[in-house]
Amino acid sequence: MLIKRDFYIDGRWTAAAAPRDCEVIDPSTEEACAIISLDSEADTDLAVAAAKRAFPAWAATPPAERKRYVEAILAQYEARAEEMARAISLEMGAPIDMSRSDQAPCLPWHLKNFLTAFDHIEWVRPLGPHTPNDRIALEPIGVVGLITPWNWPMNQVTLKVIPALLAGCTCVLKPSEESPLSSLLFAEFVHDAGVPAGVFNLVNGDGLGVGARLSTHPDVEMISFTGSTRAGKAISKAAAETLKRVTLELGGKGANLIFADADDRAVERGVRHCFNNSGQSCNAPTRMLVERPVYDRAVEIAKQVAAATRVASAHEPGRHIGPVVNKRQWDQIQGYIQKGIEEGARLVAGGLGLPEGMNKGYFVRPTIFADVKPGMTIEKEEIFGPVLSIIPFDTEAEAVQIANDTPYGLSNYVQSQDGARRNRLARQLRAGMVEMNGKSRSAGSPFGGVKASGRAREGGIWGIEEFLEAKAISGWDPDAEGVAAE
């Protein structure tokens, strides 16, 4: 049993003002694996005060020096990558090999991409050749509150903390209480990298405690939140009173449009993508729209892939999917599967209950529904589990209409050998991201959505700019620039 009750505030590990123990549950065993403390308002206030004190000096730190601190964080990760992989696997159930190959490496992947983008930022630049005495300065927004989810913990921590630090902001991180161990380890990386006291702070807590306090605190200039659309709305309302900048990365209901000319691996690839991380990804392609001539074959392939998808403990090596994060999530997924059956969708794989041979752990049977109709609950709502809905379509226009008929707009997918069609659909689909023919977005590309998926843009230059404010300056003396920079 790990005991991790302390918070990281003002450069040191600090006991909670009024400790409230919270068990971290290993979803593979349903047993407690760690104890953390949930904070009180006083702890959040201490963290914000530390960040506020540290802000002037950190904002004035030369960009090249801020970069060196971030490079030192990367070095800490590289020395302790296996610890990070094991922490993530234990706390949220990612299979250990997947945690090593996909979950933990989110940190170096995004961090290196941020460093590349950072080198191209012009902190004070001319407005244009027509205005020799005008400048646009990019300046850090101030103290920022960062609220991260449990499903890809290091992915989201890195996408928020690293650009905030590079931008010159100081921050208070509230990781999910479901997956705090990886973030506590990240705090050790920050500390051992020598980042000045108060620049980075971490407090554990729930949304009603830390999340609400950060959202309303008058000294917090910005909230960056990843989580449910419901929580994102609540944070936006709470933050409005103090006119904070709020960036939200929320839920999704991705459509994967598979045309008759798609490559032979398109359906298998789509099913595996849906099931990856046990379906707990906001950008998962959970609605598979298939052109009618290849529909029956696609359903059969999907059925075979689901049957071949192994479910096992996160602690076992090998290629399989692990449990979902907790009992509440498991119950919610079971409710959606039951709803799909009741509303008339055709269950072709998986279904209710634990996988065969399992009697403990929050494991879900990889589930495929065919003949799903637009408007069914499982077609409209985000399930956040290994459940795929397959929907036939007859025309390209019909596919676009179905894909766009959702409150969400995070990521959509297209599978076709017709380049003109792909280009056309990429512009017609209402989403922040469109991936086609299995090609992932490249390094430096932003992650984010539209509509109820939020409108954050995380990653690359866009991710850093979210923490910056543009200042318009007139009357600038170009001849004195060297003096101004000193």
Side-chain angles (χ1 to χ4, degrees):
M1 176 78 72
L2 300 172
I3 307 300
K4 297 283 187 177
R5 291 190 174 98
D6 288 352
F7 306 140
Y8 186 73
I9 299 174
D10 205 15
R12 58 185 178 272
W13 293 98
T14 305
R20 287 189 297 143
D21 281 359
C22 174
E23 291 184 337
V24 180
I25 303 300
D26 176 349
S28 290
T29 65
E30 303 183 32
E31 297 173 357
C33 61
I35 294 176
I36 63 169
S37 186
L38 302 182
D39 94 323
S40 64
E41 187 173 295
D43 298 301
T44 304
D45 288 348
L46 282 174
V48 172
K52 184 179 180 180
R53 286 193 302 273
F55 175 70
W58 184 248
T61 299
E65 189 173 340
R66 296 202 298 265
K67 180 181 178 182
R68 284 194 291 272
Y69 281 116
V70 168
E71 290 171 334
I73 294 172
L74 175 61
Q76 290 297 318
Y77 166 82
E78 290 172 341
R80 303 177 68 182
E82 177 65 14
E83 288 179 67
M84 180 60 75
R86 289 188 176 279
I88 294 171
S89 181
L90 178 65
E91 68 191 358
M92 57 73 61
I96 184 59
D97 284 350
M98 182 263 196
S99 190
R100 290 177 178 132
S101 64
D102 295 349
Q103 284 272 8
C106 288
L107 190 157
W109 169 258
H110 290 307
L111 189 151
K112 291 175 183 178
N113 291 338
F114 280 128
L115 291 178
T116 298
F118 187 74
D119 288 338
H120 296 284
I121 294 177
E122 196 172 0
W123 298 95
V124 179
R125 63 176 182 263
L127 176 62
H130 62 296
T131 55
N133 301 111
D134 279 50
R135 293 294 183 272
I136 300 298
L138 299 179
E139 299 182 348
I141 193 170
V143 176
V144 297
L146 311 174
I147 304 174
T148 57
W150 47 261
N151 58 322
W152 287 89
M154 234 354 76
N155 183 71
Q156 292 307 130
V157 168
T158 308
L159 282 170
K160 297 184 190 303
V161 174
I162 297 303
L165 298 184
L166 288 171
C169 296
T170 56
C171 60
V172 178
L173 170 67
K174 189 209 88 67
S176 169
E177 65 273 28
E178 302 287 349
S179 59
L181 304 180
S182 55
S183 290
L184 290 165
L185 182 57
F186 179 86
E188 293 182 22
F189 295 172
V190 173
H191 181 83
D192 292 343
V195 174
V199 171
F200 169 84
N201 305 272
L202 180 151
V203 287
N204 282 315
D206 54 23
L208 295 176
V210 184
R213 182 57 179 155
L214 286 175
S215 301
T216 58
H217 200 294
D219 292 332
V220 174
E221 298 290 344
M222 172 182 168
I223 294 289
S224 177
F225 170 79
T226 298
S228 71
T229 298
R230 174 192 55 77
K233 290 178 180 178
I235 286 171
S236 296
K237 292 176 182 177
E241 186 66 28
T242 48
L243 301 176
K244 298 185 193 328
R245 178 184 294 177
V246 178
T247 59
L248 304 172
E249 198 280 284
L250 308 175
K253 194 67 179 176
N256 186 7
L257 281 58
I258 297 182
F259 288 85
D261 67 343
D263 66 87
D264 293 340
R265 300 293 300 277
V267 174
E268 178 186 353
R269 186 169 62 241
V271 176
R272 293 194 185 282
H273 192 172
C274 174
F275 289 168
N276 187 45
N277 205 40
S278 300
Q280 300 170 121
S281 300
C282 52
N283 63 337
T286 55
R287 296 183 295 155
M288 182 177 284
L289 280 55
V290 183
E291 195 170 11
R292 185 101 42 194
V294 293
Y295 178 76
D296 290 340
R297 176 61 180 152
V299 171
E300 182 59 31
I301 292 172
K303 178 180 178 181
Q304 293 170 6
V305 173
T309 300
R310 183 167 169 260
V311 183
S313 168
H315 308 301
E316 287 189 24
R319 184 174 181 177
H320 57 273
I321 64 173
V324 296
V325 71
N326 57 29
K327 181 64 161 59
R328 181 179 67 253
Q329 189 69 18
W330 190 89
D331 287 341
Q332 178 174 295
I333 295 166
Q334 299 302 305
Y336 277 117
I337 294 173
Q338 181 63 44
K339 197 74 171 176
I341 295 169
E342 291 172 355
E343 293 184 357
R346 176 162 58 101
L347 182 66
V348 298
L352 295 166
L354 291 167
E356 186 175 350
M358 291 184 163
N359 58 15
K360 181 180 285 190
Y362 307 125
F363 299 98
V364 176
R365 300 170 68 189
T367 297
I368 307 284
F369 281 104
D371 304 344
V372 175
K373 294 180 173 56
M376 285 184 173
T377 302
I378 58 172
E379 190 269 338
K380 284 293 186 189
E381 299 184 14
E382 187 178 36
I383 298 172
F384 231 58
V387 180
L388 176 66
S389 297
I390 307 181
I391 307 162
F393 69 87
D394 293 300
T395 67
E396 182 179 310
E398 181 188 9
V400 171
Q401 192 278 325
I402 294 171
N404 287 342
D405 186 20
T406 171
Y408 298 105
L410 186 57
S411 188
N412 284 327
Y413 304 82
V414 177
Q415 319 298 329
S416 172
Q417 298 305 307
D418 185 333
R421 170 189 281 154
R422 293 200 309 273
N423 293 354
R424 186 167 60 243
L425 289 169
R427 300 303 304 276
Q428 293 176 355
L429 292 168
R430 288 280 293 146
M433 301 171 288
V434 177
E435 296 184 11
M436 301 188 285
N437 286 357
K439 182 171 177 55
S440 299
R441 292 169 297 106
S442 297
S445 181
F447 186 102
V450 298
K451 303 193 290 185
S453 293
R455 288 181 165 81
R457 291 294 180 271
E458 297 186 319
I461 190 71
W462 293 270
I464 299 173
E465 287 178 344
E466 291 214 317
F467 294 94
L468 295 170
E469 294 190 294
K471 175 186 285 184
I473 303 170
S474 60
W476 183 271
D477 185 349
D479 296 329
E481 283 186 342
V483 176
E486 292 177 355

